[in-house]
Amino acid sequence: MTSADRSWSAIWSARSPAARTTAAAFLLAIVTLPVLSRQYLGRTAGEIPVFMGGVEALMAGRLYAEHVFEYPPYALIWFLAPYAWAPDDAERFRFAFGLQIWLFDAAIKAVLLWRGIRANHGFPDLIPFLAYSLGSAALGHVLLMKYDAVPAALSLAGVLAVCGGRPFLGGAVTALAAGSKAYPALFIPILAVVALRQGGDQPRRFALGVVVATTPLLLIAPWLPWWNFASFHGVRGLEVGSLAASIVWALHFFGANASWSLIGTSNEVGGPLADQLLAPARAFWVAATVTGVVVAVTTALRQARLKAIGGYTTTPAAVAALLLLPLVPFVATNTVFSPQFHLWLIPLAALVLERRDSLPRPAVRAAWAIFVATMIVPTFYPSREYTLGLGLWRTVVLVMRNSLLLYAAVSLFQAAQLVRTALQRPAPDH
């Protein structure tokens, strides 16, 4: 701890509990209350009628069969209350839905703030809280009109629960997140290994939590073919924000034949080159994601050796780095990449920054790269060009954003390799 950190800690400790509570509440209010202004800014997103249509199709018994719905079934949980408030008014639904999402965003900020204050080691402990607050602010245009903050909050809760000795809760909320937005399913095998290396009945309790949360999916299957949501994504092209699409669009400035058009609710890049790249890009995405899961799981398994000799303790930051191993490639190499996907990344990246001095340096660099990539999103989205086709300089920024995430993915693999190398060293003599 530096002298400045010790001074900050001494000043904070000298305050009365009431003064500390007031200061924390004021800081939380500064980063949460202004977000509510987004309720009254911008046009209502095209997904809002989709959310409402999903609830209507559910009540009519047509969901996933006659009615195409692109989200997993637990997503409907987050649409029911706003729909009950405003079944026939998209603007009122948007307000109720946005208020609900605001609460999830505020919960993430409150947890990160509390963890920073509780550490009591100085101002740098607030960096994770500030990183997430700034990152979510950069995504303010989509924050309250998408539900991505919900699985992000649940995934964060899953990490903290498993690391905090509550594996049943961790398994349940992670499975609930996966049933809401499919990507947290990547975390289940990794968190299962984390629970396993903690010993005792932790693995059984984690598995029980997953089973309890996923059982309803099995029970409703005869009446609700919810797996059909995946078919919607199987026919999508290269979304404009994706790595492959950004390369094709950049090449169109040098003569490549490419188009930028609205397909459904998403903008896609088309043309001969885009068509040729689609299948290889999907194959690369699958390979990169599977590799990330395998490396994360095997690294977590080997970390149990360090724990056995007293050289390793499970921390939320270390587990968050493991979860980012498959998630960053899943996002960075995906053929579908919407701006709100950053909401999946930034809470876990913020958690990694809690242990900047103890994690491998590449893991910390990856977290900062994710933060910077998130902060530059507003330079190209939202913009008029994002609807019609990005100009040259915004295309350069988009390629930079994707390059930063690729750098983060490579850095996370490097961090895992450093951990695995450390585990291969001989145990110290006692």
Side-chain angles (χ1 to χ4, degrees), residues 54-332:
V55 178
E56 292 168 355
L58 175 67
M59 294 189 297
R62 299 183 296 106
L63 189 65
Y64 295 119
E66 303 171 36
H67 181 88
V68 177
F69 191 60
E70 62 188 275
Y71 304 108
Y74 286 172
L76 293 161
I77 297 171
W78 319 112
F79 308 151
L80 289 173
Y83 185 85
W85 172 261
D88 302 312
D89 189 331
E91 291 299 324
R92 292 180 62 213
F93 179 99
R94 169 188 170 179
F95 181 84
F97 178 76
L99 184 61
Q100 176 182 249
I101 301 305
W102 175 80
L103 291 173
F104 278 93
D105 174 63
I108 296 174
K109 292 170 179 172
V111 167
L112 293 173
L113 176 61
W114 173 74
R115 291 179 63 82
I117 291 176
R118 186 185 64 167
N120 202 29
H121 290 156
F123 176 78
D125 288 320
L126 296 180
I127 286 178
F129 161 73
L130 296 173
Y132 174 77
S133 298
L134 291 172
S136 63
L139 304 171
H141 183 77
V142 297
L143 178 61
L144 299 185
M145 287 191 285
K146 313 284 186 177
Y147 75 99
D148 297 80
V150 175
L154 294 175
S155 298
L156 180 65
V159 173
L160 298 178
V162 171
C163 294
R166 296 183 293 275
F168 175 85
L169 177 62
V173 296
T174 304
L176 177 60
S180 301
K181 198 90 172 181
Y183 78 88
L186 299 170
F187 304 156
I188 292 177
I190 303 169
L191 292 177
V193 174
V194 173
L196 177 66
R197 74 183 184 214
Q198 290 180 325
D201 65 346
Q202 301 258 346
R204 180 184 62 81
R205 290 162 58 193
F206 177 83
L208 182 60
V210 173
V211 169
V212 168
T214 54
T215 295
L217 296 177
L218 300 177
L219 296 178
I220 65 176
W223 301 278
L224 200 68
W226 51 264
W227 51 89
N228 286 341
F229 83 90
S231 63
F232 174 88
H233 302 282
V235 298
R236 298 179 71 173
L238 295 180
E239 191 167 26
V240 295
S242 67
L243 173 65
S246 66
I247 293 173
V248 172
W249 191 249
L251 291 176
H252 111 279
F253 290 101
F254 301 95
N257 186 0
S259 62
W260 183 297
S261 56
L262 180 65
I263 308 295
T265 58
S266 302
N267 290 300
E268 296 182 2
V269 169
L273 181 58
D275 294 340
Q276 293 173 6
L277 284 178
L278 181 58
R282 283 178 176 166
F284 180 62
W285 167 59
V286 172
T289 302
V290 171
T291 301
V293 173
V294 171
V295 172
V297 168
T298 55
T299 301
L301 284 169
R302 293 190 182 188
Q303 283 174 337
R305 288 181 51 200
L306 274 184
K307 183 175 182 180
I309 62 175
Y312 177 81
T313 56
T314 301
T315 65
V319 175
L322 288 176
L323 299 189
L324 284 172
L325 250 174
L327 181 58
V328 175
F330 180 85
V331 171

Side-chain angles (χ1 to χ4, degrees), residues 1-2 4-5 8 116 121-130 353-354 356-357:
M1 185 186 299
T2 66
D5 292 342
W8 189 94
H121 290 156
F123 176 78
D125 288 320
L126 296 180
I127 286 178
F129 161 73
L130 296 173
L353 294 175
E354 277 192 349
R356 298 178 302 282
D357 297 330

Side-chain angles (χ1 to χ4, degrees), residues 398-418:
L398 175 61
V399 172
M400 287 176 54
R401 190 280 305 268
N402 291 336
S403 299
L404 281 168
L405 292 180
L406 282 180
Y407 172 78
V410 172
S411 295
L412 289 165
F413 281 106
Q414 290 175 338
Q417 182 59 38
L418 288 174

Side-chain angles (χ1 to χ4, degrees), residues 20 26 37 78 89 151 201 204 236 352 383 388 393 415:
R20 292 198 294 267
F26 178 73
S37 65
W78 319 112
D89 189 331
D201 65 346
R204 180 184 62 81
R236 298 179 71 173
V352 168
S383 68
L388 304 176
W393 81 267

Side-chain angles (χ1 to χ4, degrees), residues 369-411:
I370 291 169
F371 171 73
V372 174
T374 303
M375 292 303 296
I376 64 177
V377 168
T379 60
F380 60 84
Y381 181 88
S383 68
R384 184 171 180 271
E385 288 185 9
Y386 200 85
T387 302
L388 304 176
L390 293 182
L392 179 58
W393 81 267
R394 284 192 169 97
T395 300
V396 171
V397 175
L398 175 61
V399 172
M400 287 176 54
R401 190 280 305 268
N402 291 336
S403 299
L404 281 168
L405 292 180
L406 282 180
Y407 172 78
V410 172
S411 295

